[in-house]
Amino acid sequence: MRRIRARGAIGIGLAVVLVVGAIGGWMFFQSDDGEKEPIVVGSSSTPSMIDPGGAYDAGAAMLVSNLYQSLLTYAPGLERPVPDAAEQCDFADGQLTVFRCTLRDDLTFSSGRTVTPADVKFSYDRILAMAERAEREKADESIPEDEKFSFAGPASLLASLEAVRIDGQDIIFELNQPDATFPFIVAGSAGAIVDSESYEESEPRDDGEAVGSGPYVLTDYEPYEYAALEPNPDYQGANQSAEFPITIRYFTEGEDGTPAEELLAEAWENGEIDVNDGKMPPQIMADFDSSDLDYRVTESTGASIRVLGFNTREGAPMADAALRQAAAAMLDREAITRHVHRNTVESLYSLIPVGFTGHGTPYYDRYRDSDAEELRQELENAGYELPVPFALGYSRGAANHEEARVVEQQLEADGLFEVEITYYDWAEFVPTLYGNDPYDAYLVSWVADYPDPAAFTDVLLGPGDGLNTGFSSDDINGRIATTRQEPDRGRASEEFRIIHERATESAPIIPIFQDKAITISGQDITGIQHLASNGGVWRLWELRRV
């Protein structure tokens, strides 16, 4: 039972053409008037919007990190926060409940206004204000459902923030609990500073304009198509000044159903992009020759994971943990990584991926010996009439249609479930996932907001409910609170492992695989090795043409 629009994947032949012939159309030089030709970057991570207060997806965070400043940021090679818009930041108490930053006094928005501590306070307050508005309208029966405000912003990251105060050039964050992760959150897109005179407090800006103080200024933007960026001559902060204009080309599913990954691969083959920082079809990436001297290639363990999430609220088809446990037992990750993604990703058995403190294999340990007939008997004894039907939504992602079909086949194989898979455009998928009536289940990628295991544990399993599953556990919440009291993150590793072992018992979110981060460019482009990191910053300013 499905509603899918798809067309056949690009053949292996294209991969060969891509490797041996793509460089021809790439050579851009300075124009006669001395202006630098933009570096064209291809991406399949399209932003849902460019207002940092209203967007909470990887594509938005990537663009936000170039247009706006946060008080802190991440320097290349460092996975800890360093000052950017701030002169300095630190906890002002031994309990990790008061975080104090001193704002630089030489910062200017692209609107021409000086950046003030009031702007910083406003930027945090509006995120919480929009989340509160959504909750208010959700409970207001006088407002029609289709007119209620649906908030998909980063409020879940600010769960520990009680209040923001100003003292001269200082911004003081008062937390409702000890939180060693708060500096990491400040350094991310949730901490992006907006001009208080250019943004509404309780409404995201959706006019395609951006007013920030980051390394770049947005000069043109067409949602889901492109973003044109010019170096910001007034930028002052931790990052080096940008030298080259950037044009980001966003690749989404074509009107005829052609996957974004295929369109990106075609653009690469045709020499339309200088830097390929998106996902191409797995069969192309599997055959890609990273030793070819015509290209620069950087590959690293990614901070992005693919998961199967469930709506666990009362009345939802998969509200019972026993059903989610059965689904976790039926999922064959190796088949997905091998046959769908051609080994371009790694199977994952924990929400904390490789490279982060606390990584383990709790889903493998718990479900490796599961037997389908025993699962059937347990569900029937619990009163379920099999197969149990539920709807599974999905959107963009490498080989997304094939992946959804394989997951459907695996869950239906022994008659335990009847799955209806449906593809949604990204612009519809995100608001629905975070809306008042989310999908029964969904396939989605999750990218770490900051380089700490809490970016997976606290946000996904804790009170922030980062994927809107509705799941809550007093035991897990208590253990999360314990990890937040430990400034030495390595010493919290055992607690993180226990949290994820407990999470397998309820299985609100089932990990499937961990991405590999692969970026490709021509030899005339440098800096791609610094473009991305586990900190979530997309360093377009590092790109140079030689």
Side-chain angles (χ1 to χ4, degrees):
M1 301 176 63
R2 59 176 66 91
R3 184 169 82 238
I4 298 179
R5 294 181 293 133
R7 75 174 234 194
I10 295 176
I12 296 300
L14 175 59
V16 177
V17 173
L18 182 156
V19 171
V20 300
I23 196 67
W26 276 31
M27 302 305 291
F28 293 98
F29 297 93
Q30 288 190 353
S31 59
D32 292 339
D33 60 4
E35 292 183 0
K36 294 180 178 178
E37 189 76 26
I39 296 173
V40 182
V41 180
S43 176
S44 50
S45 295
T46 53
S48 60
M49 66 170 59
I50 56 177
D51 182 341
Y56 190 28
D57 57 272
M62 290 163 66
L63 186 53
V64 161
S65 63
N66 288 274
L67 303 178
Y68 304 86
Q69 273 185 290
S70 299
L71 292 167
L72 301 171
T73 189
Y74 299 98
L78 296 176
E79 300 299 347
R80 57 179 178 79
V82 297
D84 187 14
E87 290 182 357
Q88 60 180 7
C89 289
D90 209 346
F91 281 104
D93 66 340
Q95 289 73 46
L96 307 180
T97 59
V98 179
F99 192 67
R100 191 177 189 115
C101 294
T102 302
L103 183 69
R104 296 174 61 124
D105 60 7
D106 56 353
L107 306 179
T108 305
F109 286 118
S110 55
S111 62
R113 282 190 62 245
T114 299
V115 181
T116 69
D119 293 306
V120 180
K121 173 177 167 56
F122 172 82
S123 300
Y124 284 87
D125 286 347
R126 72 188 293 258
I127 293 174
L128 300 179
M130 283 189 276
E132 290 169 2
R133 176 188 169 188
E135 285 298 313
R136 240 184 1 258
E137 294 192 11
K138 179 180 179 180
D140 190 341
E141 297 180 358
S142 69
I143 303 176
E145 286 298 322
D146 59 351
E147 295 181 11
K148 290 183 177 181
F149 177 61
S150 181
F151 177 67
S156 59
L157 293 174
L158 303 179
S160 65
L161 180 59
E162 184 69 28
V164 183
R165 293 191 295 107
I166 296 172
D167 180 13
Q169 280 293 108
D170 286 4
I171 301 98
I172 303 164
F173 300 92
E174 297 178 351
L175 310 181
N176 55 31
Q177 59 183 301
D179 189 358
T181 71
F182 193 72
F184 293 92
I185 295 165
V186 169
S189 61
I193 305 166
V194 302
D195 183 345
S196 59
E197 294 186 6
S198 301
Y199 291 80
E200 299 291 335
E201 183 179 37
S202 58
E203 186 80 36
R205 184 168 181 167
D206 60 1
D207 60 357
E209 300 287 337
V211 182
S213 57
Y216 281 97
V217 175
L218 185 70
T219 58
D220 195 11
Y221 178 67
E222 185 62 38
Y224 304 100
E225 293 187 21
Y226 65 86
L229 282 61
E230 288 286 340
N232 180 2
D234 297 322
Y235 171 74
Q236 300 290 333
N239 302 305
Q240 62 177 310
S241 297
E243 289 187 18
F244 284 82
I246 301 289
T247 298
I248 306 166
R249 282 191 56 190
Y250 292 114
F251 292 85
T252 60
E253 184 179 68
E255 292 182 359
D256 62 351
T258 306
E261 293 76 21
E262 292 188 19
L263 296 174
L264 174 63
E266 290 172 2
W268 169 267
E269 177 195 11
N270 293 333
E272 298 172 10
I273 54 179
D274 299 305
V275 179
N276 187 335
D277 195 44
K279 291 290 182 182
M280 293 192 294
Q283 65 270 27
I284 289 179
M285 295 309 301
D287 283 358
F288 188 78
D289 183 4
S290 61
S291 65
D292 194 310
L293 297 181
D294 285 337
Y295 301 92
R296 297 183 192 271
V297 180
T298 179
E299 177 179 337
S300 61
T301 301
S304 171
I305 65 175
R306 189 72 167 173
V307 302
L308 171 60
F310 294 99
N311 180 359
T312 68
R313 297 170 180 82
E314 184 177 354
M318 299 296 285
D320 190 342
L323 295 174
R324 302 193 299 272
Q325 290 170 354
M330 299 296 293
L331 201 64
D332 184 350
R333 294 163 180 78
E334 299 301 327
I336 295 171
T337 58
R338 217 172 29 243
H339 301 306
V340 177
H341 294 280
R342 312 298 197 272
N343 292 318
T344 61
V345 299
E346 298 289 341
S347 297
L348 186 63
Y349 295 90
S350 168
L351 291 178
I352 299 178
V354 173
F356 287 79
T357 298
H359 170 72
T361 58
Y363 274 85
Y364 176 81
D365 299 339
R366 182 179 180 88
Y367 295 109
R368 61 184 170 186
D369 297 324
S370 297
D371 178 79
E373 191 54 43
E374 291 180 2
L375 292 172
R376 169 186 291 278
Q377 192 62 53
E378 290 173 6
L379 294 179
E380 288 180 339
N381 291 343
Y384 285 101
E385 182 177 340
L386 303 181
V388 174
F390 69 90
L392 174 64
Y394 71 102
S395 185
R396 69 187 185 193
N400 52 4
H401 299 304
E402 184 181 1
E403 178 187 85
R405 283 193 293 267
V406 170
V407 170
E408 175 196 35
Q409 292 165 2
Q410 291 180 358
L411 297 181
E412 290 187 342
D414 293 281
L416 302 184
F417 300 102
E418 182 179 1
V419 185
E420 179 180 3
I421 60 175
T422 305
Y423 174 84
Y424 298 90
D425 288 333
W426 188 245
E428 178 184 2
F429 182 77
V430 172
T432 304
L433 190 155
Y434 288 103
N436 299 328
D437 186 23
Y439 308 108
D440 299 341
Y442 38 87
L443 291 166
V444 67
S445 295
W446 180 264
V447 183
D449 293 286
Y450 47 91
D452 188 89
F456 301 94
T457 299
D458 300 26
V459 181
L460 295 180
L461 300 173
D465 193 12
L467 281 179
N468 198 26
T469 64
F471 172 77
S472 181
S473 163
D474 291 341
D475 174 52
I476 289 177
N477 289 344
R479 292 181 180 276
I480 286 174
T482 298
T483 65
R484 287 183 171 181
Q485 297 176 40
E486 180 51 74
D488 183 343
R489 308 308 285 157
R491 294 178 60 180
S493 60
E494 184 59 29
E495 199 69 55
F496 281 120
R497 290 194 182 96
I498 295 173
I499 289 170
H500 283 264
E501 288 172 1
R502 300 291 169 85
T504 63
E505 299 170 8
S506 297
I509 304 171
I510 302 172
I512 303 175
F513 63 77
Q514 178 176 1
D515 257 330
K516 294 179 181 178
I518 301 174
T519 303
I520 312 166
S521 77
Q523 284 289 354
D524 62 328
I525 303 295
T526 64
I528 64 171
Q529 72 274 21
H530 299 309
L531 190 58
S533 75
N534 290 350
V537 179
W538 203 34
R539 302 183 182 93
L540 293 174
W541 56 86
E542 293 281 352
L543 300 179
R544 300 285 190 277
R545 195 186 300 281
V546 296

